[in-house]
PDB file of all heavy atoms in Angstrom:
ATOM      1  N   GLY A 331     -16.166   2.779  -8.484  1.00 96.00           N
ATOM      2  CA  GLY A 331     -16.499   4.154  -8.791  1.00 96.00           C
ATOM      3  C   GLY A 331     -15.810   5.108  -7.896  1.00 96.00           C
ATOM      4  O   GLY A 331     -15.253   6.144  -8.358  1.00 96.00           O
ATOM      5  N   TYR A 332     -15.962   4.915  -6.589  1.00 97.00           N
ATOM      6  CA  TYR A 332     -15.315   5.853  -5.633  1.00 97.00           C
ATOM      7  C   TYR A 332     -13.802   5.777  -5.779  1.00 97.00           C
ATOM      8  O   TYR A 332     -13.167   6.843  -5.879  1.00 97.00           O
ATOM      9  CB  TYR A 332     -15.658   5.437  -4.180  1.00 97.00           C
ATOM     10  CG  TYR A 332     -14.774   6.170  -3.228  1.00 97.00           C
ATOM     11  CD1 TYR A 332     -14.963   7.593  -2.975  1.00 97.00           C
ATOM     12  CD2 TYR A 332     -13.913   5.539  -2.406  1.00 97.00           C
ATOM     13  CE1 TYR A 332     -14.158   8.259  -2.112  1.00 97.00           C
ATOM     14  CE2 TYR A 332     -13.084   6.236  -1.548  1.00 97.00           C
ATOM     15  CZ  TYR A 332     -13.203   7.618  -1.353  1.00 97.00           C
ATOM     16  OH  TYR A 332     -12.375   8.235  -0.537  1.00 97.00           O
ATOM     17  N   ARG A 333     -13.210   4.667  -5.901  1.00 96.00           N
ATOM     18  CA  ARG A 333     -11.800   4.493  -5.953  1.00 96.00           C
ATOM     19  C   ARG A 333     -11.203   5.146  -7.101  1.00 96.00           C
ATOM     20  O   ARG A 333     -10.026   5.683  -7.052  1.00 96.00           O
ATOM     21  CB  ARG A 333     -11.458   2.970  -5.929  1.00 96.00           C
ATOM     22  CG  ARG A 333      -9.974   2.638  -5.688  1.00 96.00           C
ATOM     23  CD  ARG A 333      -9.733   1.144  -5.310  1.00 96.00           C
ATOM     24  NE  ARG A 333     -10.048   0.333  -6.459  1.00 96.00           N
ATOM     25  CZ  ARG A 333      -9.125  -0.006  -7.440  1.00 96.00           C
ATOM     26  NH1 ARG A 333      -7.982   0.555  -7.439  1.00 96.00           N
ATOM     27  NH2 ARG A 333      -9.488  -0.785  -8.454  1.00 96.00           N
ATOM     28  N   LEU A 334     -11.880   5.228  -8.251  1.00 97.00           N
ATOM     29  CA  LEU A 334     -11.298   5.754  -9.498  1.00 97.00           C
ATOM     30  C   LEU A 334     -11.941   6.985  -9.954  1.00 97.00           C
ATOM     31  O   LEU A 334     -11.578   7.524 -10.994  1.00 97.00           O
ATOM     32  CB  LEU A 334     -11.395   4.696 -10.631  1.00 97.00           C
ATOM     33  CG  LEU A 334     -10.601   3.355 -10.364  1.00 97.00           C
ATOM     34  CD1 LEU A 334     -10.830   2.348 -11.455  1.00 97.00           C
ATOM     35  CD2 LEU A 334      -9.158   3.468 -10.028  1.00 97.00           C
ATOM     36  N   ALA A 335     -12.898   7.495  -9.180  1.00 98.00           N
ATOM     37  CA  ALA A 335     -13.689   8.639  -9.746  1.00 98.00           C
ATOM     38  C   ALA A 335     -12.830   9.896 -10.033  1.00 98.00           C
ATOM     39  O   ALA A 335     -13.050  10.529 -11.088  1.00 98.00           O
ATOM     40  CB  ALA A 335     -14.693   8.940  -8.668  1.00 98.00           C
ATOM     41  N   PRO A 336     -11.828  10.345  -9.274  1.00 98.00           N
ATOM     42  CA  PRO A 336     -11.144  11.479  -9.607  1.00 98.00           C
ATOM     43  C   PRO A 336     -10.382  11.328 -10.966  1.00 98.00           C
ATOM     44  O   PRO A 336     -10.366  12.279 -11.784  1.00 98.00           O
ATOM     45  CB  PRO A 336     -10.038  11.589  -8.452  1.00 98.00           C
ATOM     46  CG  PRO A 336     -10.758  11.013  -7.297  1.00 98.00           C
ATOM     47  CD  PRO A 336     -11.480   9.810  -7.948  1.00 98.00           C
ATOM     48  N   ALA A 337      -9.816  10.098 -11.246  1.00 98.00           N
ATOM     49  CA  ALA A 337      -9.164   9.909 -12.557  1.00 98.00           C
ATOM     50  C   ALA A 337     -10.123   9.845 -13.641  1.00 98.00           C
ATOM     51  O   ALA A 337      -9.863  10.271 -14.772  1.00 98.00           O
ATOM     52  CB  ALA A 337      -8.305   8.642 -12.399  1.00 98.00           C
ATOM     53  N   ILE A 338     -11.322   9.260 -13.404  1.00 98.00           N
ATOM     54  CA  ILE A 338     -12.330   9.201 -14.417  1.00 98.00           C
ATOM     55  C   ILE A 338     -12.832  10.549 -14.808  1.00 98.00           C
ATOM     56  O   ILE A 338     -12.926  10.959 -16.061  1.00 98.00           O
ATOM     57  CB  ILE A 338     -13.479   8.257 -13.948  1.00 98.00           C
ATOM     58  CG1 ILE A 338     -13.130   6.847 -13.838  1.00 98.00           C
ATOM     59  CG2 ILE A 338     -14.699   8.424 -14.965  1.00 98.00           C
ATOM     60  CD1 ILE A 338     -14.161   6.030 -13.233  1.00 98.00           C
ATOM     61  N   ALA A 339     -12.926  11.479 -13.808  1.00 98.00           N
ATOM     62  CA  ALA A 339     -13.392  12.838 -14.129  1.00 98.00           C
ATOM     63  C   ALA A 339     -12.368  13.556 -14.825  1.00 98.00           C
ATOM     64  O   ALA A 339     -12.662  14.250 -15.791  1.00 98.00           O
ATOM     65  CB  ALA A 339     -13.635  13.529 -12.777  1.00 98.00           C
ATOM     66  N   ALA A 340     -11.055  13.330 -14.504  1.00 98.00           N
ATOM     67  CA  ALA A 340      -9.904  13.956 -15.279  1.00 98.00           C
ATOM     68  C   ALA A 340      -9.978  13.570 -16.791  1.00 98.00           C
ATOM     69  O   ALA A 340      -9.868  14.448 -17.653  1.00 98.00           O
ATOM     70  CB  ALA A 340      -8.630  13.651 -14.672  1.00 98.00           C
ATOM     71  N   GLU A 341     -10.171  12.324 -17.033  1.00 98.00           N
ATOM     72  CA  GLU A 341     -10.164  11.788 -18.444  1.00 98.00           C
ATOM     73  C   GLU A 341     -11.399  12.285 -19.183  1.00 98.00           C
ATOM     74  O   GLU A 341     -11.362  12.656 -20.384  1.00 98.00           O
ATOM     75  CB  GLU A 341     -10.123  10.288 -18.407  1.00 98.00           C
ATOM     76  CG  GLU A 341      -8.711   9.756 -18.090  1.00 98.00           C
ATOM     77  CD  GLU A 341      -8.585   8.318 -18.520  1.00 98.00           C
ATOM     78  OE1 GLU A 341      -9.402   7.779 -19.317  1.00 98.00           O
ATOM     79  OE2 GLU A 341      -7.731   7.558 -17.863  1.00 98.00           O
ATOM     80  N   ALA A 342     -12.585  12.325 -18.537  1.00 98.00           N
ATOM     81  CA  ALA A 342     -13.769  12.923 -19.132  1.00 98.00           C
ATOM     82  C   ALA A 342     -13.623  14.293 -19.572  1.00 98.00           C
ATOM     83  O   ALA A 342     -13.935  14.669 -20.687  1.00 98.00           O
ATOM     84  CB  ALA A 342     -14.952  12.746 -18.246  1.00 98.00           C
ATOM     85  N   VAL A 343     -13.113  15.170 -18.704  1.00 97.00           N
ATOM     86  CA  VAL A 343     -12.972  16.557 -19.022  1.00 97.00           C
ATOM     87  C   VAL A 343     -11.935  16.718 -20.180  1.00 97.00           C
ATOM     88  O   VAL A 343     -12.023  17.641 -20.947  1.00 97.00           O
ATOM     89  CB  VAL A 343     -12.679  17.323 -17.756  1.00 97.00           C
ATOM     90  CG1 VAL A 343     -12.352  18.861 -18.037  1.00 97.00           C
ATOM     91  CG2 VAL A 343     -13.796  17.302 -16.764  1.00 97.00           C
ATOM     92  N   GLN A 344     -10.874  15.901 -20.062  1.00 96.00           N
ATOM     93  CA  GLN A 344      -9.841  15.928 -21.164  1.00 96.00           C
ATOM     94  C   GLN A 344     -10.490  15.685 -22.544  1.00 96.00           C
ATOM     95  O   GLN A 344     -10.204  16.290 -23.473  1.00 96.00           O
ATOM     96  CB  GLN A 344      -8.771  14.943 -20.851  1.00 96.00           C
ATOM     97  CG  GLN A 344      -7.611  15.016 -21.868  1.00 96.00           C
ATOM     98  CD  GLN A 344      -6.469  13.998 -21.541  1.00 96.00           C
ATOM     99  OE1 GLN A 344      -6.771  12.932 -21.104  1.00 96.00           O
ATOM    100  NE2 GLN A 344      -5.304  14.355 -21.708  1.00 96.00           N
ATOM    101  N   LEU A 345     -11.416  14.704 -22.545  1.00 95.00           N
ATOM    102  CA  LEU A 345     -12.071  14.347 -23.773  1.00 95.00           C
ATOM    103  C   LEU A 345     -12.942  15.558 -24.272  1.00 95.00           C
ATOM    104  O   LEU A 345     -12.959  15.840 -25.473  1.00 95.00           O
ATOM    105  CB  LEU A 345     -12.942  13.144 -23.663  1.00 95.00           C
ATOM    106  CG  LEU A 345     -12.293  11.777 -23.616  1.00 95.00           C
ATOM    107  CD1 LEU A 345     -13.332  10.663 -23.377  1.00 95.00           C
ATOM    108  CD2 LEU A 345     -11.587  11.527 -24.986  1.00 95.00           C
TER     109      LEU A 345
END
Side-chain angles (χ1 to χ4, degrees):
Y332 169 69
R333 192 166 68 85
L334 301 178
I338 292 171
E341 287 195 21
V343 176
Q344 184 179 39
L345 282 175

